[in-house]
Amino acid sequence: MTTHPAPSLVAQANPTFAGGDALGSAGSTPAFSPLYQQIKGLILQSLQSGEWKPGEAIPSEMDLAARFRVSQGTVRKAIDELAAENLVVRRQGKGTFVATHAEQHVQYRFLKLQPDNGDTQSEGPAERTIIDCKRLRASADIARALSLRSGDPVLQVRRVLAYVGVPTILEELWLPGTPFKGLTAERLSNYNGPMYALFETEFGVRMVRADENIRAVNPDAEQAELLKVDAATPLLSVERVAYTYNDTPMELRRGLYRTDTHHYRNALS
């Protein structure tokens, strides 16, 4: 394993833990965040830089403690928070791994539409139809959502997800153009896994959290035709901004959901 020098912590701190080891240089400005939070930030930096890829194991708690010159308990608390945020996954007897959207149990972490019968396996994977994929200039509202400038290049993707042959979700996605250079309708159509796994493996972009706004709407004529519903049918409109590390927005997704056989389910804690 490659040995990495222990980097300076947040705010150039000089904190100590119960064992008496110190980090940083004497006389520097005290940090205001707990030591484990600073270690969490350093691990996040390594995740963001790609030192450990999605699906790969990160160093053991012992190795990380030696690298950052802190106690294993401090490292464990930092990793506990990362695991609670679905950024890493603990596997009993195997270690801790960078979470990936390619894993079965997290593939649809951001998709909350469930069949009314409660059996998510009964429908099988969604049948995906790419309507179009084109490069455009960002309008003011798209640029604002993605922290871009108006006129910056963006990619617009539209697709329909059908379950058991019934069109159920109509989605419009907006992606910043530079990170997703080379993404085409053909690549999207030929990829069999979830879209966020494609973003990870081929573009190095991992979505780690999302914010959503939900409301009820009626479709316009084109939307009604694509979803095979009457124009008076109420639909669930879900607007999501998905972020990669460091709270960088990487996707604006606007979805219209049919709810005649499905419902939106979210577990709150």
Side-chain angles (χ1 to χ4, degrees):
M1 179 180 297
T2 303
T3 301
H4 297 269
S8 299
L9 291 187
V10 179
Q12 300 299 313
N14 183 31
T16 59
F17 66 90
D21 293 297
L23 289 154
S25 58
S28 55
T29 304
F32 294 99
S33 61
L35 182 54
Y36 80 89
Q37 287 281 357
Q38 298 178 56
I39 299 302
K40 176 185 174 183
L42 293 175
I43 295 173
L44 276 171
Q45 287 178 20
S46 292
L47 292 171
Q48 186 176 5
S49 69
E51 179 180 343
W52 312 307
K53 306 296 184 186
E56 290 183 354
I58 70 172
S60 68
E61 291 177 1
M62 182 181 297
D63 289 337
L64 289 172
R67 171 173 170 173
F68 298 130
R69 292 176 288 167
V70 296
S71 69
Q72 280 185 248
T74 298
V75 171
R76 184 175 302 115
K77 194 168 183 180
I79 292 177
D80 283 345
E81 284 209 354
L82 293 169
E85 294 169 7
N86 297 297
L87 298 179
V88 298
V89 178
R90 292 186 184 276
R91 294 178 183 160
Q92 187 67 33
K94 295 182 179 180
T96 302
F97 296 76
V98 182
T100 169
H101 287 279
E103 292 183 31
Q104 186 66 35
H105 71 285
V106 295
Q107 280 186 4
Y108 303 106
R109 181 160 64 92
F110 293 159
L111 179 58
K112 302 296 186 180
L113 199 67
Q114 305 286 329
D116 287 343
N117 64 16
D119 184 2
T120 57
Q121 304 300 317
S122 63
E123 300 175 315
E127 306 154 33
R128 295 166 294 184
T129 302
I130 304 298
I131 302 170
D132 51 41
C133 177
K134 52 191 176 183
R135 301 187 78 83
L136 304 169
R137 296 291 177 181
S139 61
D141 65 320
I142 301 300
R144 184 167 50 252
L146 294 176
S147 295
L148 302 173
R149 292 174 299 183
S150 294
D152 279 354
V154 292
L155 196 69
Q156 181 198 38
V157 178
R158 291 195 304 159
R159 68 174 185 169
V160 173
L161 303 182
Y163 293 95
V164 199
V166 179
T168 306
I169 304 174
L170 171 62
E171 291 185 322
E172 181 180 56
L173 288 72
W174 298 86
L175 306 166
T178 301
F180 292 97
K181 185 177 181 181
L183 183 61
T184 63
E186 183 179 11
R187 293 179 77 175
L188 288 168
S189 298
N190 292 338
Y191 189 80
N192 293 324
M195 185 177 286
Y196 283 174
L198 170 68
F199 293 170
E200 280 183 4
T201 56
E202 298 198 23
F203 298 94
V205 175
R206 177 160 192 272
M207 305 302 185
V208 299
R209 73 171 190 88
D211 292 331
E212 288 188 337
N213 291 309
I214 303 173
R215 68 184 67 192
V217 300
N218 289 118
D220 61 27
E222 182 186 17
Q223 292 166 344
E225 181 179 358
L226 288 169
L227 286 174
K228 308 300 182 188
V229 296
D230 186 89
T233 302
L235 301 174
L236 199 62
S237 169
V238 181
E239 181 172 294
R240 175 198 307 161
V241 177
Y243 300 82
T244 187
Y245 300 110
N246 204 30
D247 275 345
T248 302
M250 279 291 177
E251 178 200 59
L252 170 63
R253 183 179 299 217
R254 292 169 174 164
L256 291 178
Y257 293 31
R258 286 180 56 168
T259 58
D260 47 344
T261 59
H262 291 72
H263 60 274
Y264 191 93
R265 181 180 184 277
N266 198 7
L268 303 178
S269 59

